[in-house]
């Protein structure tokens, strides 16, 4: 069984941390793609990814000659996002492309399988204001919230499901919480499938579409976009 120090040491390396942050978009990437993004060689990437897989933070799949890796699950994503939120500050962008990307991610991005950034926090606030989620004694989805999930998103939480229906996830750019858990995932999935948001490039950033701005206003009373 891995100890806290073992897990902490995995994220103490800059290259491994960069890989984990990149994988917070919830998708699977090849070792080569992650290596290029982090600016390291293929052999270095392979070695560091193997350590993350062995440590339980990543899972891997092989398709032919290609090795794909993804975060091991929502628990791993929550850990990485929480650690990032305690960092003293984001590194300064080194060029215009990085500056634009950082700004886009701060406005709206995916955090594993739910929405984060200004958008994620605004939607979380709207759900609380609408009485869909209660934060009186820890986060809980209200009966009205369960009905909203079924009617608006077509999602029904199975009794005894292992994943919690809702939980708080500390947003590392807003320093406030957005919603994770099955509810956050259902909203993110619907937003992408219905094109309420669209991905920007190959990173984590997303942009609210005109249809999305209308849907979020109608369904949640949230002014976003």
């Amino acid at each position: 069984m891995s100890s806290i120090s073992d897990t902490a040491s995995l994220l103490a390396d800059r290259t491994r941390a960069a890989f984990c942050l990149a994988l917070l978009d919830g998708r699977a990437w090849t070792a080569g793609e992650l290596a290029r993004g982090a600016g390291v060689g293929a052999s270095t990437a392979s070695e560091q990814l193997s350590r993350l897989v062995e440590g339980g933070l990543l899972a891997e799949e092989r398709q032919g000659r290609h090795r794909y890796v993804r975060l091991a699950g929502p628990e791993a994503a929550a850990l990485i996002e929480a650690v990032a939120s305690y960092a003293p500050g984001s590194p300064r962008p080194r060029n215009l492309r990085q500056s634009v990307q950082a700004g886009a991610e701060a406005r709206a991005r995916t955090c594993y399988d739910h929405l984060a950034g200004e958008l994620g926090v605004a939607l979380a606030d709207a759900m609380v204001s609408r009485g869909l989620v209660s934060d009186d004694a820890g986060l809980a989805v209200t009966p009205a919230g369960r009905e909203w999930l079924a009617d608006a998103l077509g999602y029904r939480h199975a009794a005894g499901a292992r994943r919690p229906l809702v939980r708080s996830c500390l947003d590392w750019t807003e320093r406030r919480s957005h919603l994770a858990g099955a509810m956050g995932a259902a909203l993110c999935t619907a937003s992408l499938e219905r094109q309420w948001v669209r991905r920007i490039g190959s990173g984590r950033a997303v942009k609210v579409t005109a249809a999305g701005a209308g849907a979020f206003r109608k369904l949640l009373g949230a002014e976003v976009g």
Side-chain angles (χ1 to χ4, degrees):
M1 180 181 294
S2 297
S3 67
I4 292 176
S5 60
D6 291 336
T7 302
S9 68
L10 289 174
L11 296 175
D13 178 85
R14 288 182 179 273
T15 299
R16 293 195 293 270
F19 290 164
C20 290
L21 287 172
L23 290 166
L24 274 175
D25 69 355
R27 293 178 286 181
W29 295 92
T30 66
E33 289 169 332
L34 290 169
R36 288 191 292 275
V40 298
S43 60
T44 297
S46 180
E47 177 185 352
Q48 301 301 348
L49 288 171
S50 292
R51 291 193 60 180
L52 289 166
V53 171
E54 291 168 2
L57 290 179
L58 302 187
E60 67 176 350
E61 304 170 10
R62 291 190 180 272
Q63 294 185 11
R65 296 179 301 168
H66 295 291
R67 177 196 195 192
Y68 289 87
V69 293
R70 65 171 70 247
L71 290 178
E75 294 82 5
L79 171 64
I80 294 162
E81 183 82 359
V83 171
S85 72
Y86 281 98
S90 302
R92 293 179 63 86
R94 291 176 292 180
N95 51 50
L96 179 59
R97 183 186 66 81
Q98 289 187 356
S99 179
V100 171
Q101 179 180 352
E105 289 184 352
R107 286 189 293 275
R109 66 182 183 277
T110 54
C111 174
Y112 188 56
D113 62 358
H114 51 275
L115 296 170
E118 294 175 14
L119 172 63
V121 170
L123 295 179
D125 287 346
M127 287 184 172
V128 173
S129 296
R130 283 278 173 117
L132 306 180
V133 174
S134 170
D135 60 354
D136 293 338
L139 285 184
V141 178
T142 65
R146 289 178 180 268
E147 184 177 343
W148 180 88
L149 275 171
D151 294 344
L153 304 184
Y155 177 81
R156 289 175 173 81
H157 198 58
R162 180 178 178 184
R163 189 175 191 184
L165 181 52
V166 68
R167 67 169 182 79
S168 173
C169 184
L170 184 60
D171 195 291
W172 66 272
T173 53
E174 291 297 292
R175 308 290 168 161
R176 295 180 56 212
S177 293
H178 55 251
L179 298 185
M183 184 181 211
L187 178 58
C188 183
T189 297
S191 297
L192 289 167
E193 290 180 347
R194 301 178 189 182
Q195 298 185 357
W196 295 344
V197 301
R198 61 176 178 83
R199 293 190 184 275
I200 302 174
S202 60
R204 299 170 58 196
V206 298
K207 180 178 177 61
V208 179
T209 65
F216 293 137
R217 184 183 305 112
K218 178 180 179 181
L219 295 174
L220 294 170
E223 294 293 338
V224 297

